[in-house]
Amino acid sequence: MKSHLIFIGAPGSGKGTQANKFVADRNFKHISTGDLLRSEISKMSPLGLEVKKVMDEGKLVSDDLVIRLLQANINLTASQYIFDGYPRNLAQAQTLDKEVLKGAPSLAVYFEINMTKLVERLTNRRTCKNCGAIYNLISKKPKVMGVCDQCGGTDLQQRADDKEDVIKNRLTVFQDTINPVLKYYQDLGRLMKVDAEGSVDEIYNMISSKV
């Protein structure tokens, strides 16, 4: 039976890369709650207007609102989905199962990575201000240092949230909240762990063999 995928991993662990590959190669639908929020607001639907009001007031969108957003935008019988970066805590995992998946088969995939190496990977990430191309000064350098391979732009920037102190704080928060989520899926026999430091194809083939 085909399974939906739930990708869990720290920022920069490679979830997005694998999600894009599954979308391209296996016709999965990629679910990012942030993208759904923006899309619903742009449609000016009743739900979108409700979301916009919350965000305009500077408040966090509630778990209940996110679940309603998911329910309104997915058809589990028509497509296989990848939930990318959601759920983020135990309550969200339980509610996703009960209110959205409702018994549909799913596999949680945890992208394991050494946190010291992850900090190094993220602090060396650079983005071209002109075209958005992403580089890494360790693993994916531009052909000419400081010059974008894609557009020739010379403004390769480090994102504010890729600075070391910010990254370490994000990773601490992530680790504090994710362990109960991993235990939840482990206890249900629905957790797969992959070495996020493997090659893109190795990780893809490993996950693909299970779905």
Side-chain angles (χ1 to χ4, degrees):
M1 186 178 290
K2 293 182 177 180
S3 292
H4 304 286
L5 291 170
I6 299 165
F7 281 179
I8 302 169
S13 59
K15 302 188 305 298
T17 297
Q18 289 299 325
N20 290 339
K21 193 163 175 58
F22 271 90
V23 168
D25 295 353
R26 297 277 300 271
N27 294 316
F28 272 75
K29 303 288 186 185
H30 183 198
I31 294 293
S32 159
T33 52
D35 290 344
L36 282 184
L37 289 167
R38 287 184 286 273
S39 174
E40 205 67 30
I41 290 171
S42 70
K43 289 189 287 189
M44 298 297 282
S45 67
L47 183 56
L49 292 173
E50 193 173 342
V51 169
K52 186 176 186 299
K53 182 174 184 293
V54 171
M55 294 178 73
D56 284 349
E57 291 173 353
K59 299 177 182 176
L60 291 175
V61 177
S62 68
D63 287 351
D64 174 66
L65 203 49
V66 171
I67 290 297
R68 287 164 55 201
L69 187 72
L70 292 171
Q71 290 171 329
N73 284 277
I74 68 176
N75 180 351
L76 295 175
T77 59
S79 302
Q80 276 179 284
Y81 290 90
I82 294 174
F83 296 86
D84 180 5
Y86 184 92
R88 292 185 176 87
N89 57 51
L90 178 58
Q92 289 178 352
Q94 293 169 330
T95 307
L96 179 66
D97 269 351
K98 182 179 179 182
E99 302 293 339
V100 179
L101 292 172
K102 297 181 178 179
S106 65
L107 177 69
V109 181
Y110 178 50
F111 291 70
E112 286 190 296
I113 190 167
N114 179 286
M115 290 299 168
T116 301
K117 289 185 178 179
L118 184 56
V119 170
E120 182 181 57
R121 177 190 292 184
L122 291 177
T123 54
N124 281 281
R125 188 163 59 179
R126 298 292 184 271
T127 304
C128 176
K129 185 179 181 182
N130 187 49
C131 73
I134 297 174
Y135 299 92
N136 189 286
L137 301 184
I138 296 173
S139 59
K140 189 187 175 186
K141 299 177 184 177
K143 292 173 184 175
V144 177
M145 191 55 66
V147 180
C148 177
D149 297 346
Q150 305 294 323
C151 71
T154 56
D155 193 358
L156 304 186
Q157 297 186 338
Q158 182 182 47
R159 286 171 23 180
D161 57 355
D162 278 347
K163 291 186 167 38
E164 186 169 350
D165 57 338
V166 178
I167 289 169
K168 287 182 175 178
N169 182 61
R170 288 166 67 201
L171 294 181
T172 298
V173 172
F174 170 78
Q175 288 183 299
D176 287 346
T177 58
I178 213 62
N179 286 330
V181 176
L182 298 179
K183 184 178 186 304
Y184 172 76
Y185 288 119
Q186 182 76 60
D187 289 348
L188 292 172
R190 289 164 45 204
L191 180 67
M192 176 184 189
K193 296 182 179 181
V194 297
D195 180 0
E197 294 176 48
S199 74
V200 171
D201 286 340
E202 285 171 347
I203 295 169
Y204 173 79
N205 291 334
M206 195 179 303
I207 300 170
S208 200
S209 69
K210 301 294 184 183
V211 293

